Amino acid sequence: VGSEMCIRDSLCAVQPLLCHTYRTCQPYDDSNNKCFEILGFDILLDHKLKPWLLEVNHSPSFTTDTPFDHKIKLELLTDVLRIVKLDPMKRVKYYQKKSEKPLIGDKEKGSLPQKMTKEEREERRKKKMAKRDKYEQENRGGFTRIYPDNEDEKKYE
């Protein structure tokens, strides 16, 4: 639990930077599920098993020196690819759909899309987040969800 808190607090501290980086890479991604980063946390346990954060590696090594190291890293990468749902056909479908959208003022191709209110956008976002959270919970593999924690979710807002 102590190491989880160490990781959670570290991520909350850098969340604004991570959010900026994400928005720079994916400014219009309202599905919010394809941008990810693997961070390596080096945590030292003292004689009382108290965790101490040594460093966070922005680009951790995936070199494998032992069979155990290979097993751990293979499982990590397998779980990551499962949870982000990489599907090359989804990208193809996205661009096909995007090219089929009607042009402004082109009545033959269909009517203009309706503008959504702020409340409708927020409701749509909440539904997508709930769907994503359900998928992640069902497909998390060896991952443990450490944030948001139902008990202290408000602590980090």
Side-chain angles (χ1 to χ4, degrees):
V1 175
S3 59
E4 290 177 2
M5 187 184 318
C6 205
I7 292 169
R8 181 175 50 226
D9 289 350
S10 298
L11 288 174
C12 286
V14 297
Q15 188 275 338
L17 176 62
L18 293 175
C19 185
H20 172 73
T21 303
Y22 172 75
R23 294 289 178 226
T24 301
C25 297
Q26 301 286 335
Y28 303 111
D29 180 16
D30 65 350
S31 60
N32 192 19
N33 65 359
K34 296 297 183 230
C35 187
F36 67 94
E37 193 165 354
I38 297 175
L39 302 172
F41 286 79
D42 292 347
I43 297 175
L44 176 72
L45 299 176
D46 67 15
H47 67 285
K48 294 181 180 178
L49 299 180
K50 180 179 178 184
W52 294 88
L53 178 66
L54 298 177
E55 67 177 345
V56 180
N57 297 304
H58 183 60
S59 299
S61 170
F62 284 97
T63 302
T64 57
D65 299 324
T66 66
F68 181 71
D69 200 23
H70 180 267
K71 179 184 183 306
I72 295 294
K73 292 175 180 176
L74 179 62
E75 287 176 7
L76 168 72
L77 292 173
T78 300
D79 289 347
V80 166
L81 294 176
R82 181 185 311 110
I83 208 162
V84 297
K85 296 192 288 187
L86 289 181
D87 178 3
M89 288 310 297
K90 192 170 185 178
R91 181 178 179 161
V92 170
K93 289 175 188 176
Y94 170 80
Y95 283 109
Q96 285 174 342
K97 186 176 178 182
K98 189 174 180 177
S99 69
E100 294 172 2
K101 286 188 176 178
L103 299 173
I104 295 177
D106 190 353
K107 293 180 182 178
E108 290 187 24
K109 290 198 175 191
S111 61
L112 293 174
Q114 298 291 321
K115 284 196 167 194
M116 293 173 56
T117 66
K118 185 177 181 178
E119 292 80 17
E120 290 170 329
R121 280 193 308 274
E122 181 61 20
E123 184 62 30
R124 179 180 175 199
R125 186 191 70 77
K126 284 181 180 179
K127 284 181 182 177
K128 284 186 175 191
M129 293 290 284
K131 185 177 178 181
R132 186 189 74 189
D133 288 349
K134 183 178 185 283
Y135 176 85
E136 288 178 359
Q137 184 63 29
E138 293 169 352
N139 294 278
R140 62 189 168 102
F143 289 121
T144 300
R145 184 177 187 156
I146 59 173
Y147 185 82
D149 183 336
N150 293 334
E151 296 166 12
D152 62 356
E153 185 173 350
K154 301 292 182 200
K155 176 180 175 182
Y156 296 97
E157 289 184 355

